Amino acid sequence: MKTGYSLAWLGLSGLTLVATMPATGATIADNRHLPPASSTRTGKPHLPPHRTALATKNEDVAVQARHILRGTKEVLTRKVMEQQVPGTNPLKVLAQTPGVMFQSDDPQGLDTYSVQLYMHGFVQNEIGMTLDDIPLGEPTFRNYNGLNPLQAISAENVERLDVTQSTGAESTASTNNLGGSINYVSTAPHDKAGGTVVQTFGSNALFHSFFRVDSGKLNESGTKFFVSYMRNQTEKWKGGGDQFMQQINAKLVQPIGTQSQISVFFDRDDLQMVNYQDYSPNWLKNNGYNLDNFYGLPNAWANAYNASRGIYPASYKNVSDPKDASYYESTATSADYFGGVTADLALTNRLRWKTTFYGHEETGHGTYTSPYACTDATASPCPVADDTIRLNGSRIFEQVRRPFIERFGGLSSLSYDIGQHALSGGVWYENNHYSTYAYAYQQPLEGEGSPLNPFGSFAGVPRRTLWGQQYNTNTFTAFIQDTWHPVRSLAVHFGFRSILNTTRVGDAQNWSLRFPALATSESLTTAKAFLPHISADWNFLRNNQLFFDISENAHTYPQSGYNSGNAPMAVSQAAYNAVRDTLKPETAWTFAAGYRYSDHLIQASLYLYRTNFNNRLQQILANTGSGALLTNTTGTVQNVGGVTMNGVDGGITITPVRGLALFNSISYNHSVYDQNITSGGVTYNTRNRQVVGYPRFMYKTRLSYDWHNLQTYIDAQYYGRRSFDYVGDYQIAPYWMSDLGLSYTFHNIGVGTGNRFSVHRLVLSFNIYNLANTKYVSTMGQNGYTMSNADDAAFNNQSILLGAPRQFFGSVRAEF
């Protein structure tokens, strides 16, 4: 059998990219540390299966980049994720790599409202995400066809992330992967019975617990399973209220012979989060970092009611439009049932068949308590008027959005090795029903009772239907691909996929005195028969690799609640009619090329890419006046043309002595609009302006040292300016962020009389987030962007969330 060698091309302790190449000779990173292949695929020896690269003793090799099968593939393993605070979002760990930016207003990256990911210029709703190949849909806050990966699987149960950047993978079950894909791979049940307990304490009363029990092999056939429970709760770092999540995961594996298996995965999660106040640049400039909603603070309801009459706390004296900063609360609640069954069968020693069936249901609601129930500035109760949100005369009402998702689907693929070729093909079908409605619920009059519980059911509370729509979507995709090895050092890949997606919207409801007639009885179809993907990979002079990658991808039309995103049918019927003839599915051609080098001292990489993004759909906010219910009522979604993106990443890791690693990377992204944008009869000078939300320049560095059982690191990241409006008149200031981690591992600790009970591995860790206590803007654009700052619209646009200050965490992890 031919052996391979591993080229470490971008490393840092706990985060090293490795390119695996077919060649003879020894491995640079001692391959005795590599585990057996995770795939049972058989075939020619020069077509090695996917493997997870682990650490050599002097470096935690945590990411494997393989370009042999399809594009640049990076693998982020369990080893590096365990260095973070337990429960941390794996995407936050991925952001330590070049070209990736992750933002959140909490240190663990768990607030689903604020989570924002960019990867080589593509935002998260343009990146396909799956769990064990099961589609997770478009990863946005108001997901319409899936669920957030955080809610699909506990971070402790993630074995690795398989990441394909820029060009993506044609086999990914996704309709939004314009700019790459991320597949979460769940851990397998352990062969031996045991368990894991993790407990973390931290700033703001953080309490994170994780418990997992593994059955071990139950019989001669190898049947095994695990069940886990996770609970995460923390007070907000400003304002009042907390953020809570609990989750149950279970996985069963039934081997069939030595090469096949059937597996079942199940997830149940509950999420209840009090959101942070959406900021505007005006508040950021004039009022500091501590404005927040009243909920959870002393005299919260009384202060909220007074604010609805124009009586504000003394601290609001400099707030522009203080009423629009005076919400009682804003919350998010959701619950999911999600799971699937997979049969992975070796039909022959060359032919494999893999089939998955899955289902998912999500219920929940999002709230905010609005002080805009009536138009009279001070009257209480509100005067009777048909066009007020007046149910009982209260000046405050509870606006509640109730989305509902119900979907099912299946995937099936065949792979076959013949001669110098690895062939595969497959199909995916999904039916998704999505409904989204908004209601106004009656809050009590001042002095006549307590406010409604935002996490309650609202049963029996009088309400008014504000708006609503229902969507039904059928999706079918198919792919075919071939990787050819004409010689041992060269791999050439060609494949394509086809997409057919049709969405129909109906049952539109609206309160006509406040909202225009919504789009209904409309449908949009995305049909792309041929989306190609071509790549090549050449390994030469033992320590060197060159590659290129070319692909075309498409994004089907997104969906959302009224005026809640860039969904073309989530607008008024008039707004939809005005743009329907210009609507086309978003597409992107991406061209990537790179070089990698590695030896025992230096690992270096250079990655260049260009993307031509066509038919970009964008939500345009034409009015950001006061009043949460009444704002943005003229929002539109329109085709703003193309975007041209050119970028480069460079990275180098130096390992001068055993256990010591110094990593540095620089990323530059020039992503600009191809033309000016006309909106509302006004043409804006957007041509050649940097796109909103993503910096042109990023720098990342990390110094780590491992000594016996002790691990320590310090890292820092710099993010450049980000445009807050399309013209680029207002930009968010750049900032530095740094973290520190320290852990010590004990092995095989006996417990009890005669050491009858043994802890195989005990890890004590300490982490500091935001070491320098930097004040910075994290997420932006969660409520959309304005065209320009010429009329101070952007300056008052509440579409900013602030990052958390310095936080401390201590953890204990025991495996037995």
Side-chain angles (χ1 to χ4, degrees):
M1 179 176 179
K2 299 175 184 177
T3 60
Y5 68 86
S6 296
L7 172 62
W9 63 274
L10 174 62
L12 57 157
S13 180
L15 194 65
T16 301
L17 301 175
V18 176
T20 302
M21 310 173 194
T24 58
T27 59
I28 294 176
D30 185 354
N31 62 11
R32 289 173 297 177
H33 294 275
L34 294 176
S38 60
S39 169
T40 56
R41 176 180 179 183
T42 60
K44 295 296 183 182
H46 61 267
L47 296 173
H50 294 293
R51 298 189 298 179
T52 301
L54 293 181
T56 61
K57 199 164 185 178
N58 67 323
E59 48 180 44
D60 296 326
V61 180
V63 181
Q64 178 190 30
R66 295 186 55 207
H67 205 275
I68 293 175
L69 291 182
R70 44 189 181 276
T72 300
K73 181 178 179 180
E74 300 176 2
V75 179
L76 188 75
T77 67
R78 176 81 244 141
K79 179 72 175 180
V80 67
M81 287 184 276
E82 285 186 358
Q83 294 185 4
Q84 307 300 312
V85 177
T88 293
N89 190 331
L91 297 180
K92 185 176 186 293
V93 186
L94 179 64
Q96 295 177 14
T97 59
V100 180
M101 181 179 76
F102 178 88
Q103 300 288 353
S104 179
D105 58 15
D106 72 296
Q108 290 176 285
L110 300 184
D111 186 346
T112 55
Y113 179 58
S114 71
V115 165
Q116 188 175 70
L117 175 75
Y118 279 87
M119 189 163 69
H120 284 126
F122 290 97
V123 71
Q124 62 199 38
N125 65 319
E126 297 159 355
I127 301 169
M129 294 196 188
T130 54
L131 170 60
D132 294 336
D133 298 324
I134 300 174
L136 298 179
E138 188 165 312
T140 58
F141 171 61
R142 295 185 180 96
N143 192 314
Y144 60 88
N145 62 351
L147 74 166
N148 192 301
L150 288 169
Q151 297 167 260
I153 184 170
S154 299
E156 287 89 347
N157 289 329
V158 178
E159 177 66 25
R160 68 180 193 270
L161 301 186
D162 293 343
V163 183
T164 53
Q165 298 196 32
S166 297
T167 55
E170 57 265 45
S171 59
T172 301
S174 170
T175 57
N176 63 284
N177 55 325
L178 280 173
S181 58
I182 301 173
N183 181 43
Y184 285 67
V185 178
S186 62
T187 58
H190 298 159
D191 290 341
K192 294 184 179 180
T196 302
V197 176
V198 180
Q199 185 61 61
T200 300
F201 302 93
S203 299
N204 301 300
L206 171 74
F207 190 86
H208 174 89
S209 302
F210 175 81
F211 306 94
R212 169 168 158 161
V213 175
D214 282 84
S215 68
K217 290 184 178 181
L218 300 174
N219 49 43
E220 291 184 359
S221 68
T223 306
K224 55 185 179 179
F225 69 86
F226 76 74
V227 178
S228 71
Y229 173 77
M230 184 278 294
R231 184 182 188 276
N232 197 96
Q233 185 169 12
T234 180
E235 300 292 328
K236 292 165 58 184
W237 58 267
K238 68 170 181 174
D242 64 6
Q243 297 189 323
F244 169 81
M245 182 179 178
Q246 63 180 350
Q247 188 170 45
I248 296 172
N249 287 163
K251 186 174 182 178
L252 170 71
V253 173
Q254 175 59 63
I256 303 175
T258 60
Q259 299 294 313
S260 303
Q261 69 174 32
I262 294 175
S263 61
V264 180
F265 180 83
F266 172 77
D267 168 75
R268 172 71 170 98
D269 68 88
D270 290 290
L271 178 149
Q272 296 181 356
M273 292 195 174
V274 180
N275 297 327
Y276 291 91
Q277 170 73 281
D278 293 306
Y279 251 66
S280 71
N282 189 306
W283 302 349
L284 191 63
K285 177 182 178 181
N286 297 322
N287 306 105
Y289 282 71
N290 293 319
L291 282 181
D292 204 60
N293 300 318
F294 294 117
Y295 183 87
L297 299 175
N299 303 313
W301 182 244
N303 288 337
Y305 215 95
N306 284 335
S308 72
R309 295 189 295 183
I311 304 172
Y312 306 107
S315 59
Y316 278 47
K317 62 181 180 180
N318 294 323
V319 177
S320 172
D321 193 2
K323 191 171 186 178
D324 209 21
S326 302
Y327 298 99
Y328 173 65
E329 47 81 349
S330 172
T331 70
T333 302
S334 68
D336 296 272
Y337 291 94
F338 169 75
V341 56
T342 298
D344 188 2
L345 308 175
L347 303 182
T348 71
N349 67 340
R350 294 180 178 274
L351 179 65
R352 294 197 68 84
W353 180 28
K354 185 176 182 180
T355 298
T356 300
F357 294 100
Y358 65 90
H360 170 220
E361 179 184 272
E362 180 174 275
T363 58
H365 62 264
T367 74
Y368 65 82
T369 308
S370 173
Y372 291 93
C374 66
T375 55
D376 189 286
T378 59
S380 185
C382 294
V384 175
D386 290 338
D387 65 343
T388 61
I389 306 295
R390 187 199 60 78
L391 298 170
N392 62 344
S394 175
R395 297 189 57 82
I396 297 177
F397 70 94
E398 188 82 351
Q399 180 163 329
V400 180
R401 293 187 179 184
R402 290 190 175 274
F404 173 77
I405 297 172
E406 187 175 63
R407 64 190 180 108
F408 64 89
L411 310 92
S412 188
S413 63
L414 288 168
S415 60
Y416 184 65
D417 294 344
I418 180 171
Q420 306 299 314
H421 296 266
L423 304 170
S424 62
V427 296
W428 166 46
Y429 170 76
E430 179 180 278
N431 175 265
N432 177 51
H433 175 74
Y434 169 66
S435 65
T436 175
Y437 289 84
Y439 304 99
Y441 285 86
Q442 174 178 293
Q443 285 279 11
L445 287 164
E446 184 180 21
E448 294 188 2
S450 301
L452 299 175
N453 176 10
F455 300 114
S457 66
F458 302 98
V461 181
R463 75 181 189 188
R464 185 193 298 278
T465 300
L466 302 178
W467 49 259
Q469 289 176 305
Q470 293 199 38
Y471 298 82
N472 189 270
T473 302
N474 286 287
T475 299
F476 176 83
T477 71
F479 76 91
I480 296 175
Q481 59 187 12
D482 175 26
T483 301
W484 176 41
H485 291 255
V487 295
R488 186 175 56 189
S489 61
L490 177 65
V492 179
H493 174 84
F494 174 77
F496 73 92
R497 70 172 182 151
S498 304
I499 296 176
L500 179 62
N501 173 280
T502 298
T503 296
R504 292 179 172 84
V505 63
D507 193 33
Q509 301 180 30
N510 66 300
W511 182 38
S512 59
L513 291 176
R514 287 292 188 191
F515 296 93
L518 306 186
T520 189
S521 299
E522 302 287 352
S523 68
L524 288 171
T525 296
T526 301
K528 295 290 183 181
F530 186 73
L531 296 170
H533 185 186
I534 304 170
S535 67
D537 192 290
W538 179 39
N539 308 307
F540 63 100
L541 299 179
R542 188 176 181 82
N543 295 338
N544 298 267
Q545 183 185 43
L546 287 171
F547 66 87
F548 77 85
D549 219 337
I550 303 172
S551 73
E552 183 185 19
N553 290 302
H555 188 321
T556 59
Y557 296 105
Q559 303 159 35
S560 71
Y562 177 67
N563 277 352
S564 300
N566 61 334
M569 291 188 290
V571 295
S572 70
Q573 187 70 57
Y576 177 77
N577 292 341
V579 301
R580 72 163 76 210
D581 294 336
T582 64
L583 293 175
K584 295 180 181 179
E586 296 176 323
T587 60
W589 274 99
T590 297
F591 310 84
Y595 168 76
R596 304 180 183 114
Y597 173 82
S598 179
D599 62 23
H600 69 282
L601 178 63
I602 296 175
Q603 304 90 46
S605 69
L606 182 66
Y607 181 77
L608 302 98
Y609 58 96
R610 175 185 175 89
T611 296
N612 296 110
F613 194 165
N614 299 310
N615 304 311
R616 187 176 184 122
L617 296 180
Q618 201 69 58
Q619 182 188 34
I620 307 297
L621 304 185
N623 174 20
T624 56
S626 299
L629 177 67
L630 312 179
T631 60
N632 306 331
T633 55
T634 58
T636 62
V637 174
Q638 64 185 70
N639 186 334
V640 298
V643 169
T644 298
M645 180 164 58
N646 294 288
V648 59
D649 297 332
I652 186 170
T653 298
I654 302 174
T655 53
V657 297
R658 187 180 184 89
L660 180 66
L662 175 62
F663 162 78
N664 286 275
S665 76
I666 295 176
S667 300
Y668 177 79
N669 178 282
H670 185 266
S671 185
V672 297
Y673 300 105
D674 292 342
Q675 61 283 303
N676 295 329
I677 298 175
T678 299
S679 178
V682 179
T683 298
Y684 295 89
N685 184 25
T686 55
R687 180 179 171 84
N688 293 326
R689 301 295 178 94
Q690 182 77 4
V691 299
V692 292
Y694 189 67
R696 283 194 173 176
F697 182 76
M698 291 187 289
Y699 170 73
K700 301 176 183 181
T701 185
R702 180 180 176 104
L703 178 65
S704 62
Y705 184 65
D706 294 356
W707 183 73
H708 296 289
N709 294 332
L710 178 68
Q711 291 184 321
T712 183
Y713 73 86
I714 183 170
D715 60 31
Q717 296 142 25
Y718 173 83
Y719 297 101
R721 296 184 179 276
R722 294 171 282 167
S723 293
F724 192 62
D725 58 63
Y726 291 98
V727 173
D729 290 338
Y730 185 82
Q731 295 185 327
I732 299 298
Y735 70 94
W736 283 90
M737 173 60 57
S738 57
D739 302 306
L740 180 144
L742 177 70
S743 66
Y744 192 88
T745 303
F746 299 89
H747 297 281
N748 300 321
I749 301 174
V751 179
T753 304
N755 294 333
R756 287 185 293 179
F757 178 75
S758 175
V759 177
H760 302 311
R761 185 168 173 257
L762 179 67
V763 183
L764 307 179
S765 59
F766 176 72
N767 295 78
I768 303 178
Y769 167 83
N770 193 357
L771 185 62
N773 203 26
T774 300
K775 294 184 177 181
Y776 69 101
V777 169
S778 60
T779 310
M780 50 189 283
Q782 74 275 11
N783 290 317
Y785 296 98
T786 54
M787 288 304 306
S788 77
N789 193 37
D791 57 358
D792 288 333
F795 206 54
N796 291 287
N797 179 20
Q798 292 172 228
S799 202
I800 284 174
L801 291 169
L802 304 181
R806 185 188 296 120
Q807 308 276 280
F808 300 90
F809 305 93
S811 305
V812 178
R813 177 186 180 92
E815 300 174 3
F816 53 90

